[in-house]
Amino acid sequence: EAGVAQSPRYKIIEKRQSVAFWCNPISGHATLYWYQQILGQGPKLLIQFQNNGVVDDSQLPKDRFSAERLKGVDSTLKIQPAKLEDSAVYLCASSFRSLMEQYFGPGTRLTVT
Amino acid sequence: GQQVMQIPQYQHVQEGEDFTTYCNSSTTLSNIQWYKQRPGGHPVFLIQLVKSGEVKKQKRLTFQFGEAKKNSSLHITATQTTDVGTYFCAGSGGSNYKLTFGKGTLLTVNP
């Protein structure tokens, strides 16, 4: 089966610019996650969707980050405006249901200069 | 909020030596998952533990869930160079559907 797809794989932007990431989960997976992984640390959950509803976004910096999952399939994560500390790898993952094994995409490496 | 701590942060071994990483939670966990992330790669699911005192084996890997469901360990017997990577535990507790990842243990293996 096809894995989780993400694009772009790499992005370099200047601070205060905006950026968007796209994720297409594994077909049939109801739960979709966006994580931020800073070098040397574990993935930090930004937002979790169950179908097209938000389950948890307690760690999403809502003044600059937004995410949506229209039609309960693919998802976009946006940062506007970006800050230097947003430099990280943004991972999308999906699972059949919450708390089941998660399948991660290859990630998008964001560099903010 | 829930915290998951892992030790050690780094471990360097000679090929053939054993390796263990430990995971501790500040609260009781309903389940714990383990992932492996190769350098430059993305996390890959290894196993999930849900029962108190549970032990599961995958070839040279042994996973344990503590009796109090607050700690877990991953033990690798006779490490190989293919075991290189960062091992993460991730736990969830109570009615919380969110997984909290530890900071991981980076394993390097000298051939």
Side-chain angles (χ1 to χ4, degrees), chain B residues 48-64:
Chain B
Q48 176 168 274
L49 305 169
V50 297
K51 298 178 183 176
S52 169
E54 190 170 14
V55 178
K56 286 189 177 181
K57 292 190 176 184
Q58 288 180 350
K59 297 183 180 178
R60 295 178 294 106
L61 278 61
T62 302
F63 303 85
Q64 289 189 302

Side-chain angles (χ1 to χ4, degrees), chain A residues 16 20 26 52 73 78:
Chain A
R16 291 187 290 273
I26 292 173
N52 60 347
V73 182
K78 296 179 182 178

Side-chain angles (χ1 to χ4, degrees), chain B residues 11-82:
Chain B
Q11 184 78 59
H12 178 74
V13 300
Q14 289 291 126
E15 190 171 22
E17 292 182 338
D18 292 357
F19 159 76
T20 304
T21 174
Y22 300 91
C23 182
N24 293 287
S25 170
S26 55
T27 59
T28 301
L29 300 170
S30 58
N31 82 80
I32 194 156
Q33 297 179 12
W34 286 90
Y35 291 80
K36 176 184 178 181
Q37 186 172 25
R38 293 183 185 274
H42 55 274
V44 174
F45 175 82
L46 294 175
I47 209 154
Q48 176 168 274
L49 305 169
V50 297
K51 298 178 183 176
S52 169
E54 190 170 14
V55 178
K56 286 189 177 181
K57 292 190 176 184
Q58 288 180 350
K59 297 183 180 178
R60 295 178 294 106
L61 278 61
T62 302
F63 303 85
Q64 289 189 302
F65 201 5
E67 294 288 343
K69 299 183 78 173
K70 284 190 170 185
N71 57 76
S72 180
S73 65
L74 159 59
H75 180 81
I76 302 178
T77 303
T79 54
Q80 300 175 357
T81 55
T82 53

Side-chain angles (χ1 to χ4, degrees), chain A residues 63 75 86 98:
Chain A
D63 57 333
S75 176
D86 298 332
S98 292

Side-chain angles (χ1 to χ4, degrees), chain A residues 33 35 37 40-43 45 48 55-56 58-59 91 98-102 104-106 109, chain B residues 9 30-31 33 35 37 40-45 48 88 92 96-99 101-104:
Chain A
Y33 316 79
Y35 290 92
Q37 187 174 28
Q41 297 186 20
L45 181 69
Q48 178 175 335
V55 174
D56 189 287
S58 57
Q59 298 189 98
L91 294 162
S98 292
L99 299 184
M100 294 182 72
E101 60 190 88
Q102 296 184 21
F104 284 80
R109 182 175 299 277
Chain B
Q9 191 174 357
S30 58
N31 82 80
Q33 297 179 12
Y35 291 80
Q37 186 172 25
H42 55 274
V44 174
F45 175 82
Q48 176 168 274
F88 293 99
S92 65
N96 189 339
Y97 288 93
K98 179 174 75 174
L99 269 184
F101 278 77
K103 289 189 174 182

